[in-house]
Amino acid sequence: MKKVLVLNGPNLGRLGSREPDVYGDTSYDGLAKRCERTGLDLGLDVEVRQTDDEAELVGWLHAAADDRTPVVLNPAAFTHYSYALRDACAQLTAPLIEVHISNPAAREVFRHTSVVAGVATGTIAGFGMNSYDLALQALHSLESR
Ligand code: DQA
């Protein structure tokens, strides 16, 4: 089975209790299980990770670049300002789908900028947890071209 990484940035480990009006009431563990299940249905071996640490996230992206692993990435707040993350994403050697649970374009102005979008294959935002399913479906169709 094709390996795919689903990487999540800061504060996403608190899903379920974090601003449920914005992010819903599914926990991070619930999200991880959902992604694994969606992956299995698509024939993808999905590994889900979360970190609050920029350096750790950059390290995971370097390894994905070396291994040619496709990535679904919710960069969370790093989306809006981390050039280190963007530069790491630019090195990827397989498709990168940027995902957001909420629709950042419909929120505060500082969320309207994504420094990652310009180096992503595509972006899916605003569909709640379904954003991840849609991203995995997009990766699956890219991989089976
Ligand atoms: C988010 C949107 C970001 O603006 C925010 O900082 C997050 C989550 C989302 O999934 O909607 O942490 O990436």
Side-chain angles (χ1 to χ4, degrees), residues 20 23 28 31 37 41 50 66-67 70 72 75 82 90 112 118 124 127-128:
Y23 299 110
Y28 172 73
L31 169 68
R37 228 179 299 117
D41 289 346
Q50 189 274 329
D66 291 345
D67 297 343
V72 171
S82 174
H112 296 183
I124 296 169
F127 298 98

XYZ file of all heavy atoms in Angstrom, residues 20 23 28 31 37 41 50 66-67 70 72 75 82 90 112 118 124 127-128:
152
model
N -14.731 24.572 19.847
C -15.580 23.638 19.083
C -16.519 24.325 18.098
O -16.908 23.713 17.089
C -16.362 22.880 20.163
C -16.125 23.602 21.433
C -14.891 24.434 21.291
N -13.950 24.496 15.196
C -13.281 23.276 14.732
C -14.088 21.994 14.947
O -13.630 20.910 14.585
C -11.901 23.153 15.405
C -10.997 24.317 15.068
C -10.639 25.272 16.023
C -10.524 24.496 13.770
C -9.831 26.352 15.706
C -9.713 25.571 13.433
C -9.372 26.497 14.410
O -8.575 27.560 14.073
N -8.664 14.932 18.425
C -7.526 14.637 17.540
C -7.456 13.135 17.261
O -7.247 12.729 16.113
C -6.216 15.150 18.147
C -5.040 14.670 17.349
C -4.759 15.211 16.102
C -4.259 13.603 17.800
C -3.718 14.721 15.322
C -3.229 13.110 17.037
C -2.956 13.682 15.807
O -1.938 13.193 15.036
N -9.951 12.257 14.747
C -9.494 12.673 13.415
C -8.495 11.663 12.852
O -8.577 11.255 11.682
C -8.847 14.066 13.492
C -8.098 14.485 12.230
C -9.073 14.702 11.071
C -7.267 15.736 12.469
N -8.934 5.286 8.467
C -10.043 4.526 7.858
C -10.260 4.955 6.403
O -10.409 4.132 5.498
C -11.322 4.737 8.664
C -12.057 3.460 8.976
C -13.322 3.686 9.805
N -13.079 4.283 11.098
C -13.541 5.479 11.499
N -14.276 6.226 10.701
N -13.273 5.936 12.707
N -9.824 2.654 2.934
C -10.841 2.557 1.867
C -10.240 2.893 0.499
O -10.704 2.400 -0.527
C -12.000 3.518 2.137
C -12.859 3.071 3.316
O -12.712 1.909 3.743
O -13.658 3.892 3.817
N 1.016 14.748 14.834
C 0.765 16.150 15.238
C 1.942 16.614 16.085
O 2.495 15.854 16.892
C -0.536 16.241 16.054
C -1.016 17.658 16.356
C -0.397 18.270 17.614
O -0.075 17.567 18.568
N -0.222 19.581 17.633
N 12.918 13.109 1.262
C 13.917 12.074 0.944
C 13.253 10.764 0.531
O 13.770 10.049 -0.329
C 14.832 11.828 2.154
C 15.752 13.016 2.425
O 15.881 13.892 1.532
O 16.319 13.088 3.533
N 12.109 10.462 1.131
C 11.436 9.169 0.871
C 10.388 9.259 -0.239
O 9.696 8.278 -0.510
C 10.737 8.676 2.152
C 11.727 8.398 3.271
O 12.933 8.280 2.969
O 11.302 8.330 4.446
N 4.022 11.250 -0.302
C 3.011 12.315 -0.425
C 2.554 12.757 0.967
O 2.512 11.958 1.900
C 1.858 11.641 -1.168
C 2.402 10.375 -1.728
C 3.548 9.973 -0.865
N -0.316 15.155 3.287
C -1.446 16.037 3.589
C -1.010 16.834 4.809
O -0.631 16.246 5.820
C -2.730 15.222 3.897
C -3.827 16.142 4.410
C -3.187 14.454 2.670
N -0.994 22.985 8.377
C 0.105 23.698 9.050
C -0.383 24.543 10.229
O 0.433 25.156 10.912
C 0.677 24.605 7.945
C -0.071 24.278 6.682
C -1.334 23.594 7.075
N 5.210 30.919 8.679
C 6.461 30.157 8.802
C 7.131 29.934 7.448
O 6.807 29.007 6.710
C 6.217 28.802 9.469
O 7.432 28.054 9.439
N 8.679 23.206 -0.010
C 9.171 23.390 -1.386
C 10.118 22.265 -1.804
O 10.319 22.036 -2.988
C 9.869 24.739 -1.517
N -5.718 35.202 6.157
C -5.964 35.207 4.703
C -4.713 34.869 3.906
O -4.802 34.527 2.731
C -6.522 36.554 4.252
C -7.866 36.863 4.837
N -8.584 37.990 4.516
C -8.642 36.188 5.735
C -9.720 38.002 5.193
N -9.773 36.925 5.941
N 1.568 28.459 -2.037
C 2.308 28.611 -3.294
C 3.214 27.442 -3.631
O 3.671 27.324 -4.769
N -7.312 22.509 0.328
C -8.719 22.207 0.625
C -9.017 22.796 1.996
O -8.326 22.495 2.968
C -8.978 20.690 0.607
C -8.725 20.151 -0.801
C -10.405 20.382 1.065
C -8.686 18.660 -0.918
N -14.193 22.528 5.110
C -15.147 21.421 5.108
C -15.109 20.606 6.395
O -15.484 19.438 6.412
C -14.905 20.521 3.888
C -15.110 21.250 2.589
C -14.037 21.763 1.881
C -16.393 21.455 2.097
C -14.228 22.452 0.689
C -16.591 22.142 0.905
C -15.510 22.654 0.206
N -14.619 21.215 7.471
C -14.519 20.484 8.730
C -13.557 19.315 8.567
O -12.613 19.367 7.772
